[in-house]
Amino acid sequence: MRMAGGVDLVVIGADGGPDRGFGGSALAPDGARLLAQVLPGMCFDVGAAGCRVTEVAPDADANAMLTAVRDAAQHPGRWLVVCLVGQLAVDPRGRRLALVTGGSTADNAYRRGLAWDWVVSAMVHGDQEEALLLVDAVADRDTWAALERGGGEDGAGELLAYPRVPLWGRVGRYTPGRRGRDAVLPGGEGSFSHALTTVLRQGVPGAPAAVAPLDLQPSVAALLDGGDGSGSSGAPGARLLVPPQGGRLLMRNRAAVRGALAGLSLSEELLAVLWRESAPTEPPPA
């Protein structure tokens, strides 16, 4: 039985299907798989045993994806973490975003996709103390223009600028066809999901044993294509979503653990590993 104070993690990597206009989602299942494998064991004070993971099939429809988020949001807990990996589409008025789902066409991508505001609403009304939305996505020309335009409180850009739940990730520009072959695809080399899982596996030398998302951001940004860790926008064609300061979600820093064990004898190291795996851990005081 899962501990009530744990983490609910929902990972959605949506493959938009064979339409070449949605080629930006081709590696989304790979990025989702990475996040589902690495994130659970990195939660500092609960570990994999205290993390309930829901990995949605890449060819699932929007209803199945939303149901997974809503079901997870109903579990009492400390954190709800949702990961969206894939390609974004926008409605004709440029006001609402959706994650493109399988079998979409240029005419129906927004209508049949997973609407951004549905996901955020489910997270806002969840039964967890805190929530975090991880985003590894690309946007075509029209969607990118809507994000850059903003458009006031009803504009798509406002969904990234003034989120109702904290955001962390990267949105890149994607041009279908030959020009899109060199783009950074969600789940591929240089993407947010790839960079984040690499940093979590390697750790951050010199940082404490427990680190917040904002502490990891510089190291993650250094591995991203077209990004820099100082603000919410990177190079032209990429927009970084920097996590806010504060919050109590802490991740394990493997580099700190390796450094602490480096000076121990073999027998002492084995004892330390056994203790770390069996003893409950608590986050450091705020």
Side-chain angles (χ1 to χ4, degrees):
M1 182 175 181
R2 185 178 62 90
M3 56 193 296
V7 177
D8 276 280
L9 173 66
V10 182
V11 184
I12 299 173
D15 185 346
D19 191 306
R20 71 172 189 172
F22 305 130
S25 65
L27 300 180
D30 296 338
R33 194 175 304 113
L34 278 174
L35 293 169
Q37 289 173 351
V38 176
L39 282 175
M42 293 296 103
C43 298
F44 180 76
D45 65 338
V46 297
C51 186
R52 175 190 177 105
V53 183
T54 302
E55 189 174 0
V56 182
D59 58 352
D61 62 21
N63 287 332
M65 294 176 178
L66 182 61
T67 297
V69 176
R70 286 176 171 170
D71 287 349
Q74 292 175 1
H75 294 113
R78 296 175 68 181
W79 298 285
L80 172 62
V81 180
V82 176
C83 308
L84 298 183
V85 187
Q87 185 166 337
L88 299 175
V90 70
D91 72 308
R93 294 185 297 176
R95 294 182 177 181
R96 302 180 70 190
L97 289 175
L99 187 71
V100 176
T101 55
S104 297
T105 67
D107 295 331
N108 66 15
Y110 170 74
R111 292 194 305 273
R112 69 179 296 160
L114 176 64
W116 182 288
D117 53 322
W118 293 352
V119 174
V120 171
S121 178
M123 296 178 71
V124 167
H125 295 96
D127 206 13
Q128 287 82 10
E129 297 176 15
E130 296 184 22
L132 179 65
L133 179 57
L134 303 184
V135 182
D136 186 6
V138 290
D140 63 14
R141 182 185 61 184
D142 293 341
T143 305
W144 184 262
L147 293 175
E148 291 291 282
R149 189 165 56 245
E153 294 183 358
D154 294 330
E158 296 302 304
L159 296 174
L160 303 186
Y162 301 102
R164 296 171 65 192
V165 297
L167 299 177
W168 189 17
R170 176 189 187 273
V171 178
R173 184 170 179 175
Y174 173 74
T175 302
R178 181 176 297 274
R179 293 179 60 190
R181 292 182 180 178
D182 296 330
V184 174
L185 300 185
E189 192 78 25
S191 70
F192 174 74
S193 54
H194 194 277
L196 175 59
T197 52
T198 298
V199 170
L200 288 175
R201 283 170 168 166
Q202 296 177 351
V204 181
V211 288
L214 190 59
D215 300 323
L216 295 172
Q217 174 62 20
S219 297
V220 172
L223 297 180
L224 295 174
D225 179 86
D228 106 42
S230 61
S232 61
S233 295
R239 181 169 182 174
L240 301 191
L241 309 174
V242 178
Q245 189 171 9
R248 290 174 290 177
L249 180 63
L250 297 174
M251 312 301 289
R252 298 179 185 271
N253 180 13
R254 284 187 168 176
V257 174
R258 287 195 298 269
L261 296 178
L264 299 180
S265 68
L266 180 60
S267 59
E268 290 173 329
E269 181 175 338
L270 288 175
L271 288 174
V273 171
L274 291 173
W275 177 86
R276 188 174 70 250
E277 294 296 327
S278 61
T281 56
E282 293 295 334

